[in-house]
Amino acid sequence: MRVTIVGGGGFLGGELVRQAGAAGHRVAATCFSRPGRAAEAEWRPLDVRDRDAVAAVLAALRPDVVVNAAYRQDDWATTATGAAHVALACAAQGARLVHVSSDAVFSGRAVTYAEDAEPDPISPYGAAKAAAEVAVTAIDPAAAVVRTSLIIGDGGSPQEARVHALATGRADGVLFTDDVRCPVHVSDLAAALLELAASGRAGVHHVAGPDAVSRHELGCLIARRDGLDPARLPAGLRAGSGVAGPADVRLDCTATRRRLRTRLRGAREFLRAGAPGPSPAGTTGLPGSQPPGAAAPPA
C-alpha cells in the first residue's frame, strides 16, 4: 500500500509514519514548518494552503491512502481551506481519505456528543475544524472524518510539555478543573486511523479515550507518571477566565469502538505509573499488516 501522511512532521503525524512504516507499507509524508526525520518515509515539503501544490504532490505520490493530520490552531487557511485542497486532490487521484478532526467543533452545551451530533463551535479553531468537515464530506463523500480529543504520548505531546513546565516552575498558568476532555494515547489513535483507512467506512467517527478527565486531573496523572509533584500544578477554573472555547466536551465513541480491533485506552490506564504499552489489539489496520504479537511479521 502507498500511504501518504499530510502533516507528518507533527506529533500525531510522526506516529502515523512510524506505524505505517513498521507495517511494511510505502510511506510518504509532507511537512511544512517542521521537517520530518523518520527514515520510514519519503518526505515532501508542502503548504496545504496552496491548492496547486497539494494537487501536484499527491499526483506525484499516487497514494492509495491519505491521512490528513495537518492543522494550525490560529490559521483558518491551513485548517479549513487546506483540508478542502487535500480532499480535492484525493478525489482526483482516487485515494482513500481519512481526515482528522477535533472535539473543538462542539460548544460543550450538551457535554456528551454522539457521532451524529451537529457541530456548534464557539471558538475560531472549532469553526475552522467544522468548516473542514463540511468541505471534506461534500468533496469526497467516501472519506472518513475522525474527531478526536487531547492527544497524549510517552512524553512528546504539547500537553505533557506544559505539565512539566508548570511543575518545575518554568512556566506560569493554571490547569483548569472544569475543562473536561477524553484524552487518547497517540499510538492508539494512529492505529485506529490506519484501521479506519483500511475499512472503507465513510462518514464521521469518534476516536477518543473512555476516561473523561479535567485538564488538572490529566496534569496530575502525567506528573505522577513522570515522577513530578502533582501538588506543584496550579489549579483554576476556566469559567470566567476569558479563554475561548468549550469547557466540558465528551466524545461518545461507542459506535466506532464496536467496529475497531484497536483498543482505545483511557488516560487513567495509559498514564498509570508502570503501565504497559499499547494493547496487542492495536494494529495499523491496512491490508498486509498484523497486530503486534501476531504469529507472522507484517508484510
Side-chain angles (χ1 to χ4, degrees):
M1 293 285 288
R2 295 186 300 273
V3 181
T4 295
I5 310 301
V6 177
F11 180 56
L12 172 59
E15 179 64 14
L16 286 162
V17 167
R18 187 192 70 79
Q19 289 195 24
H25 301 292
R26 292 175 57 187
V27 184
T30 73
C31 54
F32 175 60
S33 60
R34 290 178 291 182
R37 299 178 181 176
E40 297 95 335
E42 172 189 350
W43 290 92
R44 297 287 184 99
L46 181 63
D47 183 346
V48 295
R49 297 172 296 183
D50 185 333
R51 176 175 174 173
D52 291 340
V54 174
V57 166
L58 291 190
L61 293 173
R62 297 183 298 110
D64 301 302
V65 168
V66 174
V67 181
N68 182 15
Y71 76 97
R72 292 182 71 182
Q73 285 205 354
D74 58 350
D75 186 354
W76 178 282
T78 296
T79 303
T81 311
H85 293 163
V86 173
L88 286 166
C90 286
Q93 294 300 316
R96 163 73 168 158
L97 172 60
V98 177
H99 174 77
V100 181
S101 190
S102 167
D103 56 11
V105 301
F106 297 120
S107 69
R109 295 186 186 98
V111 179
T112 301
Y113 292 86
E115 293 173 344
D116 60 356
E118 291 292 333
D120 60 341
I122 57 174
S123 70
Y125 173 61
K129 276 295 193 183
E133 290 187 7
V134 172
V136 167
T137 54
I139 293 165
D140 187 356
V145 172
V146 181
R147 297 180 184 134
T148 191
S149 190
L150 296 180
I151 306 173
I152 309 299
D154 298 320
S157 71
Q159 288 79 16
E160 290 162 284
R162 183 161 187 258
V163 168
H164 278 241
L166 288 171
T168 56
R170 291 183 288 109
D172 296 323
V174 299
L175 296 176
F176 297 131
T177 57
D178 59 344
D179 186 327
V180 177
R181 297 292 187 274
C182 297
V184 65
H185 196 281
V186 66
S187 62
D188 298 348
L189 175 58
L193 290 167
L194 292 170
E195 185 179 342
L196 285 168
S199 73
R201 294 190 183 96
V204 174
H205 304 269
H206 285 180
V207 177
D211 294 341
V213 299
S214 72
R215 300 262 185 174
H216 186 263
E217 182 183 355
L218 178 64
C220 290
L221 290 169
I222 292 169
R224 290 190 190 98
R225 181 200 65 183
D226 296 344
L228 301 171
D229 183 4
R232 292 182 59 85
L233 295 175
L237 294 176
R238 182 167 191 151
S241 69
V243 176
D248 192 339
V249 176
R250 311 178 190 204
L251 295 180
D252 180 352
C253 305
T254 305
T256 294
R257 196 178 287 127
R258 274 198 218 103
R259 303 185 186 105
L260 288 175
R261 289 181 294 162
T262 302
R263 188 169 73 86
L264 302 171
R265 297 167 293 160
R268 296 186 185 98
E269 177 182 351
F270 65 71
L271 287 172
R272 187 177 67 245
S279 163
T283 173
T284 64
L286 295 170
S289 65
Q290 295 194 26

